[in-house]
């Protein structure tokens, strides 16, 4: 294992680890974004990177170790078993991604998140035991496509087509309460909340009145939401 940065004592990573500590392997754009955000949120995070240039770039910004995580001995030395969550940010190097994920599965990490760059890559990671596989470019592309194609202001697909969106209300709902508009009966979607200009966000009730300048948060199946958002 290569030399570690001064953020981590020579005898191993910081100890004791918090129950929600996260191990982030790979400090490319994906991994560094996760590690940096966790650090800013005050989470206990340790990054692992084998590229000396990236190690130098991130030294002092996050706690990190210079090591090759494809080597099981390196993971043992840095105490990877102590982490309940690990993120594999290595995506472009397919072999390294698979080896690292396999190593984490072998040592029994309870939650493994892994980046994939293709559908086949994602299937391989799932088969070897990754609990969550993320395709950042595909996910971002799908999200942007929904945003540029209609009136949606934000779009989050949760699972199996269930989606939450932020949008402007269709004209036929403006000036009426949610009960009067019968949005759920007519369109099969649910208004979760309403944000009026200059007012705090409120969770929706049947008596919540929707105005033309409001933003509404709506949940439901993606197809039904697209149909609702397409209303004039």
């Amino acid at each position: 294992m290569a030399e570690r940065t001064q953020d981590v004592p020579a005898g191993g990573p910081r100890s004791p680890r918090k129950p929600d500590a996260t191990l982030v392997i790979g400090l490319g754009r994906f991994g560094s974004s996760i590690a940096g955000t966790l650090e800013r949120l005050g989470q206990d995070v340790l990054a692992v990177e084998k590229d000396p240039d990236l190690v130098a770039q991130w030294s002092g910004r996050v706690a990190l170790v210079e090591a090759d995580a494809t080597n099981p001995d390196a993971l043992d030395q840095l105490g990877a078993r102590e982490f309940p969550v690990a993120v594999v940010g290595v995506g472009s190097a397919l072999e390294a991604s698979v080896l690292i994920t396999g190593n984490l599965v072998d040592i029994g990490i309870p939650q493994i998140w892994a980046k994939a760059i293709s559908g086949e890559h994602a299937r391989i990671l799932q088969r070897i035991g990754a609990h969550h596989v993320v395709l950042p470019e595909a996910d971002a592309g799908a999200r942007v496509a929904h945003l540029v194609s209609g009136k949606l202001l934000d779009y989050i697909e949760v699972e199996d087509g269930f989606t939450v969106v932020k949008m402007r209300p269709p004209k036929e709902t403006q000036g009426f309460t949610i009960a009067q508009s019968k949005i759920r009966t007519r369109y099969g979607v649910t208004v979760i909340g309403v944000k009026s200009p200059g007012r705090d966000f409120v969770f929706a009730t049947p008596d919540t009145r929707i105005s033309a300048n409001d933003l509404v948060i709506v949940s439901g199946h993606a197809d039904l939401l697209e149909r609702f958002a397409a209303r004039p």
Side-chain angles (χ1 to χ4, degrees):
M1 183 170 66
E3 182 182 357
R4 298 166 183 179
T5 72
Q6 61 183 4
D7 297 299
V8 181
R14 294 176 296 177
S15 181
R17 307 228 70 90
K18 298 177 182 177
D20 59 351
T22 302
L23 181 69
V24 179
I25 300 175
L27 285 176
R29 286 181 296 178
F30 180 75
S32 62
S33 177
I34 291 175
T37 301
L38 289 172
E39 190 77 16
R40 288 193 297 273
L41 292 173
Q43 301 294 311
D44 189 10
V45 58
L46 177 66
V48 181
E49 174 56 59
K50 72 173 184 177
D51 184 338
D53 292 335
L54 286 176
V55 170
Q57 178 181 337
W58 283 91
S59 180
R61 300 166 66 182
V62 297
L64 69 94
V65 171
E66 183 179 343
D68 182 357
T70 63
N71 183 348
D73 292 336
L75 291 176
D76 283 340
Q77 291 180 45
L78 61 88
R81 297 175 187 272
E82 300 178 22
F83 291 83
V85 180
V87 178
V88 182
V90 178
S92 56
L94 179 60
E95 182 179 0
S97 168
V98 171
L99 286 173
I100 294 168
T101 303
N103 288 341
L104 296 173
V105 171
D106 288 343
I107 63 177
I109 301 294
Q111 290 292 322
I112 301 170
W113 294 74
K115 173 188 173 182
I117 59 173
S118 68
E120 182 59 30
H121 186 188
R123 285 190 290 272
I124 293 171
L125 293 173
Q126 289 170 338
R127 287 169 187 163
I128 64 176
H131 305 99
H132 308 278
V133 178
V134 182
L135 289 116
E137 292 187 0
D139 293 344
R143 178 173 176 271
V144 172
H146 284 287
L147 299 183
V148 301
S149 65
K151 296 191 300 183
L152 301 181
L153 303 176
D154 207 350
Y155 181 99
I156 302 173
E157 185 170 349
V158 180
E159 189 174 5
D160 297 331
F162 180 79
T163 304
V164 179
V165 303
K166 178 171 69 174
M167 58 177 286
R168 297 289 183 186
K171 288 182 179 179
E172 63 200 71
T173 67
Q174 297 171 12
F176 299 96
T177 66
I178 292 173
Q180 290 170 336
S181 298
K182 299 181 180 179
I183 294 172
R184 183 171 179 81
T185 301
R186 291 175 177 173
Y187 302 106
V189 300
T190 302
V191 178
I192 299 174
V194 177
K195 175 67 173 69
S196 299
R199 297 183 180 180
D200 293 335
F201 172 88
V202 295
F203 287 101
T205 70
D207 296 327
T208 300
R209 190 173 299 276
I210 297 175
S211 300
N213 294 324
D214 288 345
L215 294 176
V216 291
I217 309 300
V218 191
S219 68
H221 192 278
D223 292 342
L224 297 176
L225 287 168
E226 291 283 1
R227 191 178 308 163
F228 181 59
R231 301 293 298 174

